[in-house]
Amino acid sequence: MGGFFGVASKNDCVFDLFYGTDYHSHLGTRRAGMAVHDKVKGFDRAIHNIETSNFRPKFDKDILKMEGQLGIGCISDFEPQPLIVRSHLGTYAITTVGKINNSQELMWMLFNGSHSHFLEMSGGDINPTELTAALINQRDSFVEGIRYAQELIRGSMTMMVMTKDGIYAARDRLGRTPVEIGTKEDSKCICFESFSYLNLGYHHEKELGPGEICYVTPESVETVAAPNEKMRICTFLWIYYGFPASSYENINVEAARYECGKHLARRDMQRGIDKPDIVAGVPDSGVAHAVGYSNESGVPYARPFVKYTPTWPRSFMPTIQSRRDLIAKMKLVPIHDLIADRSLLLIDDSIVRGTQLRETTEYLYKSGAREVHVRPACPPLVFGCKYLNFSRSNSHGELITRKVIEKLEGSVDPESGILNRYMDPDTAEYEAMLKEICKELNFSSLHYHRLDDMIEAIGISPCKLCTYCWNGAE
């Protein structure tokens, strides 16, 4: 995944840029960077590896030297950026959030058309931000170039392009990720997370629509390419990776998670299940869902384990899955007095592979829990995300649902329609899948959030939400 923050100011922007970018640290763990433009010194840039450290200590010396009235910064889970590019359009800096699925095709198109070249990253990959810049450079203006890139890229691509005079902010063609603009005296800012500018003194000015391009200067925000009607914003923004204080499409993340928890509780009440002793959320993304469940059901909310954050502040690191699982376990510290001989209902944002949640459940049993009931805050994940980099490593075969379906069916042809039976919560196949997952992960019971309930809880028209990972809908 990734996030960004940009500033256009009449004064030096580095302080706002530094802290605004830092507020996106929950969205990436590998690279971070800032680029600025000063009227006298021109362009300057700093990029650091943040796999073993947070953003602030990596850049605290850079901000003492950087100066500029314009700036863009990013947190990335993949490529080093922002990049500074010199082309026939002039010198500019660019940062992106998204995923390019047809990068090889686009690369060869550029090779054949203009004999371009690209710097190869470790592992043989091409930097998608550099590829996006090369596409922009095929046209005679930034607006035409950005539109051209977004039309050709299969996946998604949201970006900021900073020239010496202002910043182009462009939300991806179907609006899968957000772009927010804030304003205060003498400054405008651009960001992924709307909360990121609040403590810096900005207030909300606008949210870009799908495919909309705005040109931002300290004095104004000008729409230079109108938004599209069609939108497919990522639903997981509200379920998991959006920050609680943020809002997208005027829907607050924390409030949406409360509603999801309430809907989960209502379904359990319809089922007539015995109430557990306490309800808890897996820290941190399951907590708000659990509070909503508690408020609706009357089951007391408690914290049977807490996350140790002073030296384990980052949930995504390291990148090796086995080590991530181990560290996820090490971060959670049990509270024996709230666990022993109790029936617990545990809410997590989702179940991907199931490894971490199974270990968490076993951890609770060893700490004395009598029962551990699990309620994921979203439906079963059946498809790996192909639009955003936050789940780029999750192939279909790694998902616990796919493994169980293949166990029950043998090899599965996605074109056969059998997957549709396993995605419908009213079928025998769906029930068989839940029963097998529950058995494999050692839960006392398992009930996923229904897709219709989740969409109702968020409160946005289904046609505007991307639900691909749950139902395969494009």
Side-chain angles (χ1 to χ4, degrees):
M1 197 50 195
F4 59 50
F5 193 89
V7 184
S9 177
K10 293 181 181 179
N11 306 303
D12 188 83
C13 72
V14 174
F15 180 92
D16 285 4
L17 179 65
F18 175 72
Y19 285 101
T21 303
D22 180 60
Y23 271 132
H24 290 80
S25 293
H26 59 291
L27 294 173
T29 60
R30 294 191 179 184
R31 301 287 186 274
M34 297 189 301
V36 295
H37 181 270
D38 181 76
K39 293 176 182 177
V40 176
K41 297 182 177 180
F43 286 91
D44 191 12
R45 182 188 66 165
I47 294 178
H48 293 292
N49 183 316
I50 57 169
E51 290 180 278
T52 58
S53 177
N54 290 318
F55 174 85
R56 286 196 308 274
K58 284 287 189 176
F59 288 86
D60 58 0
K61 293 183 176 61
D62 295 298
I63 63 170
L64 299 177
K65 300 178 291 183
M66 299 180 83
E67 296 179 45
Q69 298 76 44
L70 300 171
I72 59 175
C74 70
I75 303 287
S76 175
D77 208 27
F78 186 45
E79 71 271 23
Q81 50 170 323
L83 302 180
I84 295 179
V85 179
R86 180 172 292 182
S87 76
H88 70 287
L89 297 173
T91 301
Y92 63 91
I94 179 172
T95 187
T96 67
V97 172
K99 183 179 182 181
I100 304 176
N101 293 319
N102 58 333
S103 59
Q104 292 297 311
E105 173 188 328
L106 295 176
M107 178 186 70
W108 282 105
M109 180 196 76
L110 292 167
F111 285 165
N112 294 331
S114 57
H115 303 295
S116 298
H117 73 276
F118 299 95
L119 298 177
E120 191 172 280
M121 298 192 301
S122 58
D125 293 319
I126 290 174
N127 190 322
T129 301
E130 184 182 11
L131 179 56
T132 301
L135 293 171
I136 292 172
N137 294 339
Q138 302 305 301
R139 292 296 182 261
D140 294 327
S141 72
F142 284 110
V143 175
E144 291 174 338
I146 292 169
R147 273 284 171 92
Y148 178 68
Q150 291 180 327
E151 288 170 2
L152 290 180
I153 289 171
R154 292 203 301 270
S156 67
M157 189 51 63
T158 292
M159 68 187 83
M160 290 191 298
V161 175
M162 181 178 73
T163 71
K164 64 181 180 63
D165 300 311
I167 303 172
Y168 291 93
R171 188 173 175 184
D172 63 277
R173 188 166 51 86
L174 291 175
R176 299 190 188 277
T177 51
V179 178
E180 313 285 341
I181 294 182
T183 185
K184 67 178 179 181
E185 186 178 3
D186 295 335
S187 296
K188 307 287 185 184
C189 72
I190 307 154
C191 60
F192 183 112
E193 293 282 33
S194 62
F195 83 93
S196 62
Y197 54 65
L198 297 179
N199 289 341
L200 297 172
Y202 295 85
H203 61 268
H204 179 74
E205 177 158 334
K206 71 170 293 178
E207 181 174 29
L208 271 63
E212 183 175 1
I213 305 173
C214 286
Y215 183 64
V216 181
T217 66
E219 297 81 14
S220 65
V221 177
E222 178 189 1
T223 295
V224 292
N228 304 319
E229 288 292 328
K230 186 176 180 181
M231 181 170 72
R232 291 290 186 273
I233 186 169
C234 177
T235 310
F236 249 121
L237 281 163
W238 290 278
I239 300 302
Y240 169 48
Y241 66 85
F243 194 78
S246 281
S247 295
Y248 320 107
E249 302 301 321
N250 297 313
I251 304 294
N252 173 256
V253 170
E254 187 82 348
R257 290 175 184 170
Y258 288 155
E259 287 299 314
C260 282
K262 288 180 181 180
H263 280 69
L264 283 167
R266 289 170 192 164
R267 285 289 175 183
D268 272 355
M269 293 161 72
Q270 290 174 11
R271 296 181 185 108
I273 67 167
D274 293 335
K275 286 188 176 182
D277 295 320
I278 61 173
V279 59
V282 175
D284 289 311
S285 54
V287 170
H289 300 291
V291 172
Y293 188 105
S294 174
N295 290 343
E296 185 70 13
S297 66
V299 177
Y301 171 79
R303 296 197 298 167
F305 44 53
V306 292
K307 182 187 287 187
Y308 188 79
T309 57
T311 55
W312 301 105
R314 308 174 64 102
S315 60
F316 287 10
M317 64 176 298
T319 56
I320 299 173
Q321 185 61 40
S322 61
R323 294 181 182 177
R324 286 173 58 182
D325 293 341
L326 176 61
I327 287 176
K329 178 180 178 181
M330 292 172 66
K331 285 192 294 187
L332 296 180
V333 182
I335 301 174
H336 181 78
D337 291 353
L338 297 178
I339 299 173
D341 199 34
R342 281 178 167 82
S343 171
L344 312 178
L345 188 142
L346 196 61
I347 301 182
D348 204 354
D349 55 82
S350 60
I351 301 179
V352 183
R353 299 170 182 86
T355 307
Q356 290 183 10
L357 198 53
R358 180 178 62 243
E359 292 188 353
T360 299
T361 303
E362 292 171 352
Y363 201 37
L364 292 171
Y365 283 133
K366 290 177 181 178
S367 298
R370 187 175 75 253
E371 298 173 340
V372 180
H373 304 271
V374 174
R375 302 292 183 267
C378 71
L381 294 165
V382 182
F383 301 92
C385 176
K386 64 179 183 179
Y387 299 111
L388 298 173
N389 263 332
F390 83 94
S391 63
R392 68 184 183 278
S393 63
N394 299 338
S395 69
H396 300 330
E398 293 178 300
L399 301 172
I400 182 68
T401 51
R402 285 299 189 94
K403 291 179 179 178
V404 166
I405 292 170
E406 289 191 5
K407 181 178 180 180
L408 296 172
E409 295 283 342
S411 60
V412 176
D413 179 5
E415 303 298 323
S416 67
I418 189 62
L419 288 178
N420 293 331
R421 301 287 298 170
Y422 284 94
M423 292 184 286
D424 184 347
D426 297 320
T427 64
E429 287 85 351
Y430 180 91
E431 288 298 322
M433 177 181 70
L434 255 63
K435 184 177 180 180
E436 186 62 30
I437 293 173
C438 187
K439 177 182 176 183
E440 288 194 13
L441 301 186
N442 198 23
F443 304 151
S444 299
S445 73
L446 170 65
H447 291 289
Y448 285 87
H449 210 351
R450 289 174 58 112
L451 184 60
D452 52 353
D453 286 350
M454 184 183 69
I455 291 173
E456 182 179 326
I458 292 172
I460 291 180
S461 172
C463 68
K464 294 185 176 181
L465 290 169
C466 179
T467 56
Y468 174 80
C469 54
W470 299 297
N471 62 3
E474 298 287 346

